Amino acid sequence: MKEGVERIHQLVEQWSPEDLLRWAFITFGGYVEIASGFGPEGMVLIDIAARVQPEFRIFTLDTDFLFPETHNLMEQVEKRYGIRVEKLKSALTPDDQERLHGRALWSRDPDACCNLRKVEPLQRKLSRLRAWVTSIRRDQTPARAGALKVEWDSKFHLVKINPLADWTTKKVWRYIHDHDLPYNPLHDRGYPSIGCTHCTRSVQPGEDARAGRWSGFNKTECGLHTSVQASGLVSITNPATSDFAPEA
């Protein structure tokens, strides 16, 4: 599949999120799914996907340490769109993790905790897919600045699709308000980026939007979007048709 990826930046950059999702659903069929952490971008992507194809597959990484507000939002999404959110969990329960790695691993080695509770479950999931769709944006973190709308994910070895890569925070929130979408109420209480309860705090005036994640550590990513970009975009000329078919 990697051989089918080429650099055609200008063409794909002109596509709308609707075009990209439509192409993804047609090209990969049941081998593409949407990943969501149910942030503002995630809510926009879910709504757009529902307009393109009402029956789509979506999963989230349930670390066992999510905020109650995040779980409540998932339930709202399931009811609103008539879908089921697949919740991926670590092979270790929180008690197992404490027994093997000591108490509060996140406070001593957040990278190890993220790897156990996020990266490894995602790796197992993506090993069964040909492509995954994310809601990351280029201006969120330095690691995401080079994200392409369609690219080869060299870390997980499949195609990665980022329909909102070139969106701004302002555009995301305008879409949410224009379409009356539900969102996590923690955003109204100083939490622009929301992860696990242990590693997320509210952001103070003047701080970066990601300052509330892993505060006190030189860390802004959980490890899901830090792969080296090995290739470029999928070689296709029309978002409705493609000769780049998923492998059997």
Side-chain angles (χ1 to χ4, degrees):
M1 184 182 294
K2 182 177 177 181
E3 288 69 24
V5 178
E6 299 176 354
R7 297 184 183 280
I8 52 170
H9 300 260
Q10 294 182 350
L11 175 62
V12 177
E13 284 300 317
Q14 295 173 357
W15 290 358
S16 68
E18 290 85 353
D19 287 336
L20 282 165
L21 288 170
R22 189 174 297 111
W23 167 79
F25 293 144
I26 292 174
T27 302
F28 299 102
Y31 293 97
V32 60
E33 297 188 20
I34 295 175
S36 183
F38 296 90
E41 297 82 6
M43 297 308 301
V44 170
L45 186 63
I46 290 168
D47 190 74
I48 295 175
R51 297 170 187 272
V52 172
Q53 179 171 300
E55 295 182 0
F56 59 92
R57 297 179 181 179
I58 181 171
F59 64 86
T60 193
L61 296 165
D62 186 346
T63 64
D64 289 305
F65 300 129
L66 299 181
F67 285 89
E69 290 87 347
T70 303
H71 285 292
N72 291 338
L73 182 57
M74 290 184 204
E75 293 178 3
Q76 291 182 58
V77 166
E78 290 181 324
K79 292 178 181 178
R80 178 177 178 127
Y81 298 102
I83 59 176
R84 182 183 69 84
V85 177
E86 181 184 3
K87 300 174 179 64
L88 308 181
K89 293 204 174 193
S90 170
L92 298 178
T93 67
D95 288 341
D96 291 335
Q97 179 170 304
E98 181 172 329
R99 184 167 56 256
L100 292 172
H101 301 282
R103 295 188 61 184
L105 178 62
W106 54 83
S107 68
R108 295 177 285 104
D109 191 345
D111 285 335
C113 189
C114 285
N115 189 64
L116 288 169
R117 313 214 71 77
K118 288 188 173 183
V119 178
E120 290 183 2
L122 179 64
Q123 192 167 28
R124 290 194 295 273
K125 175 67 176 181
L126 296 186
S127 69
R128 303 191 294 271
L129 300 178
R130 301 300 182 215
W132 66 309
V133 185
T134 87
S135 56
I136 64 171
R137 295 185 296 106
R138 292 171 185 149
D139 63 1
Q140 288 175 318
T141 70
R144 303 178 187 186
L148 306 176
K149 286 192 174 181
V150 180
E151 59 193 355
W152 177 256
D153 189 329
S154 59
K155 182 170 187 173
F156 297 111
H157 307 293
L158 76 171
V159 174
K160 184 177 182 180
I161 303 162
N162 309 307
L164 305 181
D166 58 350
W167 279 41
T168 63
T169 299
K170 184 177 180 179
K171 187 172 182 178
V172 167
W173 281 103
R174 184 186 302 123
Y175 186 102
I176 287 174
H177 294 310
D178 288 349
H179 295 83
D180 193 28
L181 301 187
Y183 62 87
N184 197 316
L186 290 175
H187 293 310
D188 294 331
R189 303 206 290 270
Y191 291 78
S193 179
I194 302 168
C196 297
T197 56
H198 301 302
C199 299
T200 307
R201 65 164 174 82
S202 60
V203 171
Q204 302 304 310
E207 286 188 311
D208 181 81
R210 300 280 291 189
R213 303 292 298 276
W214 305 285
S215 183
F217 291 91
N218 184 26
K219 178 178 172 66
T220 59
E221 293 278 357
C222 56
L224 308 182
H225 305 292
T226 55
S227 60
V228 176
Q229 305 306 328
S231 297
L233 310 184
V234 175
S235 178
I236 45 181
T237 57
N238 188 304
T241 61
S242 171
D243 57 4
F244 182 62
E247 298 172 351

